[in-house]
Amino acid sequence: MLLTIDVGNTNISMGILDGEKIIGRYRLMTQTTRTSDEYGFFITTFLNTLELKALDITGIIISSVVPKLMYSLTSAVIKYLHQKPMIVSNDMQMDIKLDTEAPRSIGADRIVNTTYAWNTFHRSCIIVDFGTATTYDYIDQNGVFRYVVIQPGLGISLNALTSMTAKLPEIEIVKPKSVLGTNTIEGMQAGVVYGYIGSVEYIIKTMKKELNDPTCMVIATGGLGKIIANETDEINAYDADIAYKGMKILYDINKGKEYENL
């Protein structure tokens, strides 16, 4: 079984795959101050909930955009699972090509997402990842990652609204029945959610136009992605598990190979 660990700026998500099937998911908040033993506790607790032991895990792969916690996390994996994890990086062998002005600056999460999209659909795709930031990654019909758009995430947009105003309360991110709010909370929800739907649609349409690729597939992922994906025809599919599936593909490609940073 393969343990996949996706380290984001807000959450660390773990998934266990038995072959192609995801048999368990576990999520905790990202904190750079945790010790290796704390991470070890979370990992072993996750395994225990699935009635698994360390010996049942035959491989581990980590995708991270938070370098500060990697020492503690990798130390936990080695100490508690007795294996050295594979780390997603630009130096890995992959079946996509990174063709941007600064390919080494492309984050591990984006490599994972585009790897999944290319291997799954074998066509040009825009992958919209609704995380702390929302990213739009374009991979062309030849499997070449060429362009990216990054905007503040839905949560950041809401936090900016509430933190920079004296009387506006913190609210739940849900789509109200109408854009015409009848109270402050509904008005905030309408502005944030409907406004975000509009910005997502405009970015996707503009990307397709400038790329001259009107039929490229648009795939959404990320915790808040489902809220937006269900409200627009510009997104063709939503899959919350892209990170786990993309890491599985990269692990299979690189298993048994030796790289300095793996």
Side-chain angles (χ1 to χ4, degrees):
M1 295 184 189
L2 177 68
L3 171 63
T4 60
I5 305 176
D6 179 28
V7 182
N9 288 295
T10 303
N11 293 303
I12 298 174
S13 302
M14 294 185 279
I16 293 179
L17 289 88
D18 186 1
E20 302 299 322
K21 183 180 180 182
I22 301 170
I23 63 170
R25 301 168 181 82
Y26 191 86
R27 177 173 292 191
L28 59 148
M29 291 184 65
T30 301
Q31 294 182 11
T32 58
T33 56
R34 286 196 175 104
T35 66
S36 60
D37 287 326
E38 287 178 290
Y39 284 121
F41 172 80
F42 287 121
I43 292 169
T44 53
T45 298
F46 179 30
L47 295 182
N48 289 338
T49 61
L50 298 172
E51 298 183 347
L52 297 175
K53 299 178 180 178
L55 290 175
D56 295 318
I57 303 300
T58 56
I60 305 107
I61 182 168
I62 302 174
S63 168
S64 174
V65 296
V66 188
K68 286 184 178 180
L69 59 70
M70 286 299 289
Y71 179 80
S72 293
L73 181 58
T74 55
S75 296
V77 168
I78 293 169
K79 180 177 180 180
Y80 287 88
L81 299 182
H82 315 295
Q83 296 183 55
K84 185 178 180 182
M86 184 184 293
I87 310 297
V88 175
S89 78
N90 306 81
D91 296 320
M92 301 181 85
Q93 184 173 329
M94 58 187 83
D95 54 6
I96 62 171
K97 182 179 179 182
L98 309 179
D99 186 15
T100 65
E101 288 188 1
R104 297 198 67 81
S105 69
I106 296 173
D109 54 339
R110 322 251 295 287
I111 292 173
V112 167
N113 288 350
T114 48
T115 293
Y116 163 81
W118 172 246
N119 277 267
T120 303
F121 301 104
H122 295 287
R123 56 177 292 187
S124 61
C125 294
I126 296 171
I127 305 93
V128 189
D129 190 346
F130 293 88
T132 307
T134 296
T135 58
Y136 304 73
D137 295 323
Y138 176 75
I139 188 165
D140 70 15
Q141 70 276 8
N142 297 312
V144 182
F145 179 1
R146 294 191 179 279
Y147 304 107
V148 63
V149 177
I150 303 173
Q151 74 175 129
L154 188 53
I156 288 177
S157 300
L158 176 59
N159 290 339
L161 180 63
T162 56
S163 65
M164 299 298 290
T165 52
K167 291 189 175 182
L168 293 182
E170 294 186 4
I171 60 170
E172 182 182 3
I173 300 177
V174 294
K175 181 189 171 209
K177 293 180 181 179
S178 170
V179 73
L180 304 174
T182 58
N183 56 61
T184 299
I185 291 177
E186 284 187 358
M188 292 172 66
Q189 290 171 331
V192 171
V193 178
Y194 280 97
Y196 211 83
I197 293 169
S199 69
V200 168
E201 290 184 331
Y202 183 79
I203 289 172
I204 292 171
K205 289 177 182 178
T206 304
M207 288 181 72
K208 287 181 176 181
K209 182 178 178 180
E210 293 194 16
L211 291 163
N212 193 26
D213 190 0
T215 62
C216 75
M217 186 166 187
V218 182
I219 312 149
T221 191
L224 295 172
K226 195 170 185 179
I227 297 174
I228 306 301
N230 288 337
E231 302 298 335
T232 174
D233 293 332
E234 290 298 323
I235 293 174
N236 302 115
Y238 173 80
D239 188 340
D241 295 324
I242 283 177
Y244 305 140
K245 296 173 182 178
M247 279 189 275
K248 170 69 165 57
I249 294 167
L250 287 167
Y251 181 84
D252 288 343
I253 292 173
N254 288 274
K255 185 169 67 171
K257 297 179 174 64
E258 290 294 331
Y259 291 91
E260 189 172 320
N261 64 337
L262 298 188

